[in-house]
Every structure is written in structure tokens, then in C-alpha cells.
Amino acid sequence: TEREKMQASQKQLRQDIEKKKKQKAELDRRVKQQMQDVLVLGGEIDDKKRLIDTIRTHIATLDSALTTLNAEMKVLEKELADRQQRYVKSMRYMYRNRNSQSKMMFVFSAKNVNQMYRRSRFMKEYATYQKAQGEAVMVKQAQITAKQQEIESNRQEKNIKLREGQTEQKNLERKQAEQKQMVVKLQKEQRTVQELIKKEQKQEAISRSEERFSRNAETD
């Protein structure tokens, strides 16, 4: 009969509505989970950015230290050149005055005893002193060179970590973007299913009204 057909249609509508409500509930759960994942990724991205900023600060500090050492090295290079030049001059002078007579003339041509003593000591010690000073400068240069190499090695390690961190950040941002796209897609499905539920609920209400009207008409 017509009433049985209407009742069957209502039953089918109720089943469809319940099915779509379950589908909607599952979509709600997935959207909530995806949004939570987006937030978690956002936190990981922020952590990675802070790490990258810290590494960049360390690199800047190392660059500053290298700049300072380079400046010190230039000063030492100039000082060493001066020392070497003085040493060469002293050696040339000693060579020119290598015979005993020249040495004696240099010493005894002094104006007083103190000057004679200083000249005598000068002849003995000046070249040795300049050589020793030059060697001291070279030792300092070697220390700075070792420090430069240590800092440069550290800087290279930091740069590697920086590149790794930037790559990881990009990967996290890409993953987050994909999660956001998934959220948008699921939310669209949510709206579609919700609209279908409302539509079928409306159809079910109309069907019940028609059934009551039919039942009342038969009674009359």
C-alpha cells in the first residue's frame, strides 16, 4: 500500500541519516586530530626557528672572533717584518764591523764610559735580541693561526647544523601545509555531509507529515 511505501521510505531515510551522522562524527574526529597535528607541527617549527637563530648567533660570534684574530695577525705580520728588518740591519752592521779594530773604534769613540758600556753591550746583544723578538712574534702567530683554524672548524660545523636545521624547518613547514590542506578538505566534507543530513531530515519530516495526513484521511 501507499502507507507501507511511505514507511519504507522513512525507514530508509532514517538509516541514511544515521549513516551520515556517523560519517559526520568520524569527520569531526579527523578534523580535530588534523588540527592538533597542525598545532604540534607549529610548535616544532617554532623550536626549529629558535635553534636556527641560536646557531646564527653563534656563527656571528665566531665571525667576530675571526675578524679580531685577523686584525691581530696583520699587526703581528707588520711587527715581524719590522723585527726581521732590524735583525738584517744589525747583522749587516755586525758584518761590516766584524774585525776587532772596527769594534774597538765603535766602542772607544763613545763620549763617556756609560756610552762605551752601552755600545759594547749593544754590539753583543742587539742582533740576538731582535732575533729572539722575531721568534716570539712567530710563536704568537702560530698560536693565532691555531686559534683561527679551531674557530673556522667550529664555524664550519655550525654552518652544517644551520643548513640541516633549515632543511628540517622546510620539511616541517611543508608537512604543516599539507596538514592544513587536509583540514580544509575534511571541513568541506563536513559541510557537505551536514547539508545532506539536514536535507534528508527535512525529507523525513515531510514524509511523516504526509503519512499522518494519509492516516487521518483514511480514518475520516
Side-chain angles (χ1 to χ4, degrees):
T1 64
E2 190 65 27
R3 185 185 301 174
E4 289 174 342
K5 289 181 181 179
M6 293 173 69
Q7 289 175 342
S9 176
Q10 289 172 26
K11 182 179 179 181
Q12 184 62 48
L13 281 170
R14 284 193 296 271
Q15 290 175 345
D16 288 344
I17 290 170
E18 287 302 314
K19 183 178 179 180
K20 286 181 174 60
K21 282 182 177 180
K22 289 180 181 179
Q23 184 181 356
K24 173 69 165 46
E26 175 62 18
L27 285 169
D28 291 345
R29 186 194 66 78
R30 289 179 63 189
V31 167
K32 184 177 180 180
Q33 182 61 53
Q34 291 287 345
M35 291 180 73
Q36 183 64 34
D37 291 344
V38 168
L39 291 175
V40 170
L41 286 169
E44 292 178 4
I45 290 169
D46 289 339
D47 290 342
K48 194 62 63 177
K49 285 179 178 178
R50 282 192 290 271
L51 176 61
I52 288 171
D53 288 341
T54 300
I55 293 173
R56 281 177 174 155
T57 300
H58 289 166
I59 290 174
T61 301
L62 293 172
D63 286 341
S64 178
L66 281 174
T67 299
T68 301
L69 288 174
N70 289 336
E72 288 183 25
M73 184 63 83
K74 286 182 180 179
V75 172
L76 287 172
E77 286 172 354
K78 185 178 184 303
E79 184 178 349
L80 180 60
D82 291 341
R83 295 288 180 186
Q84 289 173 336
Q85 190 175 13
R86 291 176 191 174
Y87 176 70
V88 170
K89 285 182 178 179
S90 67
M91 291 302 294
R92 285 175 180 170
Y93 179 83
M94 295 292 288
Y95 180 78
R96 285 197 303 269
N97 298 281
R98 65 186 179 278
N99 60 70
S100 299
Q101 184 178 357
S102 296
K103 290 179 183 178
M104 293 295 290
M105 287 179 63
F106 175 71
V107 172
F108 287 108
S109 63
K111 294 179 181 179
N112 52 55
V113 175
N114 286 336
Q115 192 179 58
M116 286 175 61
Y117 174 75
R118 287 196 302 271
R119 286 190 176 187
S120 178
R121 187 175 179 180
F122 167 82
M123 291 180 67
K124 293 178 181 178
E125 297 180 359
Y126 185 74
T128 302
Y129 170 77
Q130 292 299 334
K131 183 179 180 182
Q133 290 297 304
E135 290 174 350
V137 171
M138 287 190 287
V139 169
K140 184 65 176 177
Q141 282 183 316
Q143 292 173 347
I144 291 179
T145 298
K147 189 65 176 177
Q148 284 175 319
Q149 291 173 347
E150 178 186 344
I151 291 175
E152 185 59 38
S153 176
N154 195 358
R155 187 178 182 279
Q156 289 176 1
E157 290 177 5
K158 295 292 184 185
N159 276 322
I160 291 172
K161 289 181 179 179
L162 177 62
R163 288 192 293 271
E164 289 175 350
Q166 289 172 331
T167 299
E168 290 171 3
Q169 179 185 334
K170 287 180 181 178
N171 289 336
L172 287 170
E173 289 173 344
R174 176 184 54 77
K175 190 173 181 180
Q176 187 187 49
E178 291 173 355
Q179 295 280 20
K180 287 180 178 179
Q181 289 177 353
M182 179 61 70
V183 169
V184 171
K185 180 181 178 182
L186 291 172
Q187 287 175 332
K188 185 177 179 181
E189 289 183 32
Q190 275 182 312
R191 290 191 295 271
T192 300
V193 172
Q194 185 61 43
E195 289 171 1
L196 289 172
I197 290 172
K198 288 181 179 179
K199 183 179 179 181
E200 291 186 347
Q201 285 175 334
K202 186 176 180 180
Q203 289 176 348
E204 184 189 16
I206 293 171
S207 179
R208 285 200 302 269
S209 297
E210 289 177 348
E211 183 190 2
R212 285 195 298 271
F213 179 78
S214 176
R215 191 165 53 248
N216 292 335
E218 289 177 359
T219 302
D220 292 341

